[in-house]
């Protein structure tokens, strides 16, 4: 199996998951959206997004599906399959619609758009993203004030998914310090090598720097 990746948030999540699970797979940097590259990747993922997991005669896209498959292959409970499964799915589902989405909105304006020259920061969208961030973070904060990890007593894929955009907070500038339990939870994630430095030893050009608006 081969994981096609870039350094952007969702592929980073998939690489971190694969490395956390010590998956015996190859890693290949890819640029499906670069000029002239689409035809090479369309059959693997019609969205032309990353990550993509490729095997003999098949491909799987969406970071969550890839995490599910890699966890099964590794016989790990990182992707819960027992009594905790419903709770894990609850956090994946809620996260994608709420906390992760709010982080994505702000990061897209302040990070992605500025890195790739996609236009000026839309201040109204940042304000709306921050409003949604505070609403979601309050719910997450209450939960994490009572527990170390989102599901049961140990880390699961729900923790990785919830944190998709937090490694990019140097550019997103989300007010994490307003939420001490989230901050402590994220500190625990950062002690995990596979999360903190998923690209270690992999060949992948750095992301373009964010150009600060005048
Ligand atoms: N829902 C998809 C989102 C995939 C996605 O939006 N990937 C973006 C990066 S975050 C992408 O492919 N960007 C182009 C690139 O990284 O080259 C997933 O979870 O895998």
């Amino acid at each position: 199996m081969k994981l096609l990746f870039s350094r952007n948030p969702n592929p980073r999540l998939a690489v971190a998951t694969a490395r956390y699970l010590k998956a015996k797979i190859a890693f290949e940097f890819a640029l499906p959206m670069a000029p002239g590259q689409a035809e090479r990747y369309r059959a693997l993922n019609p969205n032309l997004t990353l990550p993509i997991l490729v095997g003999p005669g098949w491909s799987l896209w969406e970071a969550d599906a890839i995490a599910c498959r890699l966890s099964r292959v590794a016989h790990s409970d990182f992707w819960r399959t027992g009594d905790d499964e419903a709770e894990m799915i609850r956090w994946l589902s809620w996260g994608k619609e709420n906390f992760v989405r709010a982080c994505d909105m702000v990061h897209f304006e302040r990070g992605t758009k500025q890195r790739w020259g996609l236009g000026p920061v839309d201040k109204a969208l940042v304000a709306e993203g921050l409003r949604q961030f505070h609403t979601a973070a309050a719910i997450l904060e209450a939960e994490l004030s009572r527990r170390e990890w989102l599901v049961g007593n140990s880390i699961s894929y729900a923790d990785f998914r919830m944190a998709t955009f937090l490694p990019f907070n140097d550019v997103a500038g989300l007010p994490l310090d307003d939420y001490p339990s989230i901050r402590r939870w994220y500190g625990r994630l950062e002690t995990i090598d596979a999360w903190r430095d998923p690209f270690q030893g992999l060949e992948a050009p750095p992301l373009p720097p964010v150009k600060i608006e005048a």
Side-chain angles (χ1 to χ4, degrees):
M1 283 191 282
K2 182 167 72 176
L3 184 62
L4 304 183
F5 75 96
S6 73
R7 287 184 183 261
N8 285 319
N10 285 290
R12 183 194 192 280
L13 168 67
V15 174
T17 300
R19 299 206 104 179
Y20 180 78
L21 292 168
K22 299 191 173 17
K24 292 182 181 53
I25 60 172
F27 296 87
E28 184 177 299
F29 178 77
L31 273 175
M33 294 189 189
Q37 294 290 304
E39 286 327 304
R40 191 170 153 206
Y41 292 101
R42 202 179 301 283
L44 300 176
N45 179 358
N47 303 287
L48 297 179
T49 52
L50 298 166
I52 310 172
L53 186 65
V54 185
W58 58 266
S59 65
L60 185 65
W61 35 274
E62 289 294 314
D64 296 354
I66 291 169
C68 176
R69 180 145 194 165
L70 292 180
S71 189
R72 282 176 84 98
V73 171
H75 303 290
S76 168
D77 76 341
F78 189 56
W79 182 284
R80 298 292 200 268
T81 54
D83 291 346
D84 284 348
E85 187 171 26
E87 205 179 324
M88 187 196 68
I89 302 276
R90 185 262 304 272
W91 286 119
L92 298 186
S93 179
W94 179 86
K96 292 280 281 279
E97 286 291 318
N98 295 275
F99 186 78
V100 180
R101 185 162 73 181
C103 297
D104 190 359
M105 274 180 81
V106 177
H107 172 264
F108 183 73
E109 292 300 322
R110 291 177 171 168
T112 304
K113 275 173 74 176
Q114 308 319 308
R115 279 192 208 286
W116 303 103
L118 302 177
V121 173
D122 184 326
K123 294 198 169 65
L125 286 178
V126 170
E128 175 57 17
L130 288 173
R131 189 191 67 73
Q132 292 184 22
F133 173 82
H134 282 296
T135 304
I139 290 167
L140 202 54
E141 174 70 14
E143 193 68 27
L144 290 170
S145 68
R146 293 191 286 270
R147 52 197 314 133
E148 290 207 342
W149 303 107
L150 286 169
V151 181
N153 296 319
S154 60
I155 192 165
S156 73
Y157 179 68
D159 297 291
F160 271 31
R161 172 43 96 186
M162 198 68 77
T164 308
F165 287 89
L166 301 184
F168 302 85
N169 209 34
D170 54 335
V171 293
L174 295 157
L176 279 189
D177 289 338
D178 293 359
Y179 301 95
S181 301
I182 296 179
R183 183 45 98 196
R184 279 195 292 276
W185 162 79
Y186 192 63
R188 286 191 283 279
L189 274 171
E190 282 192 312
T191 65
I192 297 168
D193 292 344
W195 181 263
R196 193 181 56 255
D197 193 9
F199 302 114
Q200 210 238 339
L202 300 184
E203 264 181 51
L207 287 171
V210 167
K211 295 176 194 72
I212 306 294
E213 281 188 338

